[in-house]
Amino acid sequence: MTHGSTSELRFPDGFAWGTATAAYQIEGATSEDGRLPSVWDTFSRVPGKTANGETGDVACDHYHRYPEDIALLARLGVSHYRFSLAWPRIQPEGRGGLNPAGVDFYSRLVDLLLENGIQPWVTLYHWDLPQTLEDAGGWPARDTAERFADFATRIHQRLGDRVTDWTTLNEPWCAAFLGYANGYHAPGRTDKAAAVRSAHHLLLGHGLAVQALRAGGARNLGITLNLYPVDPVTDTDADRDAARRVDGLMNRIFLDPVLRGSYPADVIADLASITDTEHVRDGDLAVISAPVDFLGVNYYSRHVVRAGGGTPGTGLSPFVGAEDVDFVRRPGWPTTVTGWETDPDGLHETLTRVTRDYGPLPLYVTENGVAYDDQVVEVEGESRVLDEGRRTYLEDHFRAAHRAIADGVDLRGYFVWSLLDNYEWSEGYGRRFGLVHVDFATQRRTLKDSGRWFAEVTRANGLEVAG
Ligand code: IFM
């Protein structure tokens, strides 16, 4: 389509445009209406574990303000909204019957989304494990996978009449390795073997949930992984081997079981000094590789690595199975307040790599976005956030996604992280990822300039480009 001297970079008809959030990061109301603590409620209260000791107790108060937030989604013109269910709100002890008030909250949320013409996209697990299940062993214990499948089955019975899109897990790498190996995330354990077992049990829970929801009639089922291109900083054998190991331990350790039904042999060998594979039982991999309808890709950056001594303070050390790898910052490369390098080509590379090595299969970018130090300013009597950097970041990544489609990737949708500025886990409230600014003292929401621009993208199903 052309308009004078400009044309539009169009996405395929029916392309899903959305934003994403997670329960603990936005809901607040952590002790209301029968919700019990999750591992994040506990962890965030441990001195020194989160920035300024911040917790998700109030967060964006979305539990009470969801109508206002859905109005913002409508303003953004999105076709979809991806949010997660708080397991400790719905099934507070992680087992047994559901909490009616918890189910009711999500039921009302789903209804209001649908009334606004927005398709709800549910993530079943975004890291808020009920504390009672952690006390019973957490993800290193096999039973947690069974509990998760039970939770998934029960809540699908309640919402499945209106929700067709289901993601089992969000970023199991973070839940397993940041949670159980380096203690940077809840529950804050530092036991490498436990982290490896956790990864397997998270995948098993995914597979069991896929089987159960499929049997219950769910139509669009998948999992979301945080994927990265991993490059060696030089072409030496040592650096290339470092890249192979990090790729194995971050990407292939999840991709291969889900999409090929096996663990990569090199990854098993890399982990041999940490744990054996006794926790992997006969039949598990068949469950884990139960067919999915899509893969969700969360993309933020690329890793460049070299063989070395392990970089303290990167949040990646000790890196299970690759403790002797350094993560390298490329001099002069643009970074954001998270310290992550901005690398849109890495999104194209990730999408084409998955398609080449595991596909073709339907893909969604289930998260991509950026944190900046945004401020609200008054411009001609109007409150604005002039976040040109975020607009540029998103535009560059949308273009990379479009190129991937042109190169044959079956990309079906794109969810910006995040709808709202929110609780960035151990980093507290200082990392603003939202298209909507939140003043955490007053809970006032202000649509950022990037959000205004995103509304144009969703309505045009594409970008305007100079003709
Ligand atoms: O905020 C997180 C989200 O919970 C998972 N993916 C990455 C985001 C930004 O760090």
Side-chain angles (χ1 to χ4, degrees):
M1 201 198 303
T2 54
H3 298 290
S5 63
T6 62
S7 62
E8 281 180 3
L9 195 70
R10 291 256 309 177
F11 283 75
D13 287 346
F15 194 76
W17 288 104
T19 65
T21 61
Y24 190 71
Q25 294 182 270
I26 64 165
E27 285 180 5
T30 50
S31 48
E32 277 182 50
D33 296 338
R35 184 189 179 282
L36 288 180
S38 73
V39 289
W40 270 97
D41 296 274
T42 309
F43 179 79
S44 60
R45 285 178 164 64
V46 178
K49 291 295 184 190
T50 67
N52 310 311
E54 287 164 352
T55 71
D57 285 3
V58 178
C60 308
D61 194 29
H62 172 77
Y63 187 72
H64 300 112
R65 294 170 195 260
Y66 71 90
E68 183 182 352
D69 295 337
I70 291 176
L72 285 162
L73 284 166
R75 232 179 124 185
L76 289 171
V78 294
S79 57
H80 290 68
Y81 172 52
R82 173 177 177 246
F83 59 96
S84 81
L85 306 180
W87 188 351
R89 196 181 289 294
I90 293 171
Q91 194 183 37
E93 303 209 31
R95 63 183 78 240
L98 303 189
N99 169 25
V103 176
D104 186 54
F105 168 66
Y106 292 107
S107 192
R108 283 182 279 124
L109 179 69
V110 163
D111 285 344
L112 196 53
L113 285 166
L114 291 170
E115 275 170 36
N116 280 273
I118 299 166
Q119 203 166 313
W121 183 298
V122 163
T123 299
L124 284 158
Y125 186 72
H126 198 127
W127 311 347
D128 42 1
L129 185 71
Q131 182 62 43
T132 44
L133 290 186
E134 174 59 21
D135 296 342
W139 285 109
R142 188 178 175 91
D143 185 56
T144 303
E146 304 281 350
R147 296 298 102 240
F148 175 67
D150 173 67
F151 160 65
T153 308
R154 289 175 190 254
I155 192 61
H156 179 256
Q157 284 163 358
R158 306 298 294 276
L159 301 179
D161 57 336
R162 287 156 289 158
V163 178
T164 53
D165 304 304
W166 296 80
T167 298
T168 54
L169 308 176
N170 183 73
E171 301 182 357
W173 184 84
C174 298
F177 292 101
L178 298 183
Y180 289 90
N182 75 359
Y184 175 65
H185 275 191
R189 289 209 236 164
T190 51
D191 175 345
K192 294 178 190 179
V196 177
R197 287 200 304 279
S198 295
H200 181 69
H201 295 145
L202 280 152
L203 285 173
L204 183 62
H206 153 78
L208 291 169
V210 166
Q211 289 182 330
L213 267 61
R214 183 78 70 206
R219 283 212 302 277
N220 201 30
L221 279 172
I223 184 170
T224 278
L225 304 177
N226 48 321
L227 301 177
Y228 307 79
V230 186
D231 292 345
V233 71
T234 73
D235 205 30
T236 61
D237 286 352
D239 287 347
R240 281 195 287 110
D241 191 58
R244 175 198 61 75
R245 279 182 288 153
V246 171
D247 177 54
L249 294 158
M250 294 199 80
N251 298 324
R252 291 181 290 115
I253 191 173
F254 296 105
L255 286 165
D256 278 34
V258 171
L259 298 171
R260 291 187 177 154
S262 58
Y263 279 110
D266 62 317
V267 171
I268 298 295
D270 291 338
L271 293 173
S273 63
I274 292 165
T275 179
D276 57 29
T277 53
E278 262 178 31
H279 56 279
V280 182
R281 296 199 191 152
D282 284 352
D284 282 2
L285 282 151
V287 173
I288 291 168
S289 58
V292 287
D293 303 304
F294 68 86
L295 177 74
V297 175
N298 288 0
Y299 175 77
Y300 289 91
S301 196
R302 177 191 301 272
H303 289 317
V304 180
V305 300
R306 72 167 157 243
T311 318
T314 58
L316 294 168
S317 179
F319 194 95
V320 175
E323 291 81 356
D324 57 344
V325 172
D326 283 337
F327 288 76
V328 177
R329 297 272 177 250
R330 290 170 286 177
W333 204 266
T335 54
T336 69
V337 296
T338 47
W340 304 338
E341 292 174 354
T342 300
D343 191 337
D345 286 345
L347 175 59
H348 175 271
E349 203 171 313
T350 301
L351 297 172
T352 50
R353 183 261 177 112
V354 170
T355 299
R356 185 185 64 239
D357 292 355
Y358 299 91
L361 79 165
L363 301 180
Y364 290 82
V365 175
T366 39
E367 281 183 30
N368 170 247
V370 63
Y372 287 117
D373 286 325
D374 301 316
Q375 312 286 339
V376 179
V377 293
E378 295 303 312
V379 181
E380 294 171 0
E382 202 184 7
S383 298
R384 298 262 300 270
V385 177
L386 311 175
D387 58 337
E388 174 61 16
R390 179 173 292 100
R391 192 200 63 74
T392 310
Y393 176 101
L394 290 174
E395 177 168 346
D396 290 346
H397 285 78
F398 293 170
R399 286 178 190 281
H402 196 274
R403 268 196 297 123
I405 295 170
D407 291 341
V409 170
D410 184 5
L411 185 68
R412 304 267 177 106
Y414 203 118
F415 293 79
V416 173
W417 184 268
S418 180
L419 170 63
L420 303 167
D421 291 342
N422 60 46
Y423 180 69
E424 178 61 10
W425 309 108
S426 305
E427 306 295 335
Y429 291 97
R431 303 275 162 93
R432 294 183 173 276
F433 276 93
L435 293 172
V436 174
H437 181 277
V438 178
D439 178 333
F440 293 106
T442 62
Q443 292 296 343
R444 180 166 175 239
R445 274 86 161 129
T446 305
L447 188 62
K448 300 180 189 176
D449 279 10
S450 60
R452 296 173 185 225
W453 168 81
F454 184 55
E456 290 169 20
V457 173
T458 63
R459 296 211 164 93
N461 190 26
L463 301 164
E464 260 198 3
V465 289

